[in-house]
Amino acid sequence: MQQSIKLVIFDWDGTLMNSGQRIHDCMAAAIAEVGLPVPDSQAILSRIGLGLPEYLMDLLPQASAQERQQVRQNYVDYFIAAEQQPSPLFSGAEQVLEQLQQAGLSLAVATGKSRRGLNRVFAKTGLDRYFAHSRCADETASKPDPLMLYQLLEVAQVQASEAVMVGDTSYDMAMAQAAAMPRVAVTYGVHDVARLSAYPLDGVLEDIRALPHWLSTRGVKV
């Protein structure tokens, strides 16, 4: 059978890296330091995946631009300090990346992180060796805009039907739907199945280690 999927695009936080609690703690501390009321945990967690400016605008709509800018700087400072010891990957994630790479698939990252943030985690973990391409929120449009997916398709020279977006948030699923790209939701991240299922899904995984099997159902020899 002809291989139908050539490019696998991963979200980062909440899909490959188990960083949700760290993001939450750094954001809560950043907001408290400015003296603003700290939103509840669900509000902080559920917006992970947006670019940081969009995240703060959505989370703190009543704050002034100056307050949001200070929160942003505080958050970056807290997170960089915390990430001296990078958050762990979800169990089996690196093995899946290695397996897919060895199967001849091209791998990419589409993330709400900044380029500097992704580069820092790549440098700390060495995981960049698995990825041919990446796009970050500060060098394109934030999710759920599909622009970063269009750019990844262009640089990888594949059609949308030959790629799949793997992510843990409705932002991932919305942008993949807009790009007419197959989409697989993982349920262990920040959005629950009900929220993810607001978009027609091609696959739902409770464990990233199930991804190779899903790909095999699409004609990929993994």
Side-chain angles (χ1 to χ4, degrees):
M1 182 182 296
Q2 183 177 4
Q3 182 167 309
S4 57
I5 299 293
K6 299 177 180 177
L7 174 67
V8 183
I9 304 173
F10 292 93
D11 169 59
W12 192 264
D13 294 303
T15 299
L16 293 175
M17 183 162 274
N18 188 3
S19 48
Q21 190 60 49
R22 179 167 289 178
I23 292 171
H24 169 278
D25 293 348
C26 292
M27 183 58 67
I31 294 169
E33 186 173 331
V34 176
L36 295 171
V38 178
D40 64 53
S41 292
Q42 182 58 29
I44 294 174
L45 289 169
S46 67
R47 290 165 172 81
I48 294 174
L50 295 174
L52 190 51
E54 293 79 9
Y55 178 108
L56 292 172
M57 182 68 74
D58 198 47
L59 182 67
L60 304 172
Q62 305 304 320
S64 68
Q66 182 178 2
E67 287 171 328
R68 282 194 294 270
Q69 179 57 38
Q70 188 59 57
V71 170
R72 179 178 180 175
Q73 187 57 59
N74 292 349
Y75 170 78
V76 169
D77 292 343
Y78 279 123
F79 196 79
I80 289 174
E83 282 291 283
Q84 293 303 308
Q85 178 61 45
S87 298
L89 296 184
F90 287 102
S91 182
E94 185 167 2
Q95 290 78 7
V96 168
L97 295 176
E98 185 173 1
Q99 184 178 354
L100 301 188
Q101 187 181 68
Q102 290 181 352
L105 290 162
S106 183
L107 307 182
V109 174
T111 179
K113 299 177 87 66
S114 68
R115 170 54 62 187
R116 291 176 65 183
L118 185 63
N119 285 348
R120 277 195 301 268
V121 76
F122 275 169
K124 288 282 186 181
T125 63
L127 293 169
D128 54 313
R129 65 187 181 275
Y130 294 111
F131 300 102
H133 313 289
S134 59
R135 283 295 181 278
C136 300
D138 63 340
E139 58 193 9
T140 182
S142 172
K143 303 173 185 180
D145 191 296
L147 181 58
M148 67 172 66
L149 294 185
Y150 291 140
Q151 292 173 342
L152 288 169
L153 292 173
E154 182 177 8
V155 72
Q157 297 185 313
V158 301
Q159 301 299 310
S161 61
E162 298 174 313
V164 59
M165 178 68 212
V166 182
D168 71 310
T169 71
S170 60
Y171 312 127
D172 299 314
M173 302 302 107
M175 71 171 183
Q177 182 181 41
M181 181 182 295
R183 46 208 169 269
V184 170
V186 299
T187 61
Y188 50 78
V190 298
H191 287 178
D192 60 23
V193 175
R195 186 164 177 180
L196 292 165
S197 297
Y199 301 89
L201 302 175
D202 296 281
V204 178
L205 308 180
E206 295 180 358
D207 191 313
I208 194 64
R209 289 170 287 198
L211 181 59
H213 174 73
W214 181 89
L215 288 165
S216 72
T217 69
R218 306 286 293 210
V220 181
K221 294 181 179 180
V222 183

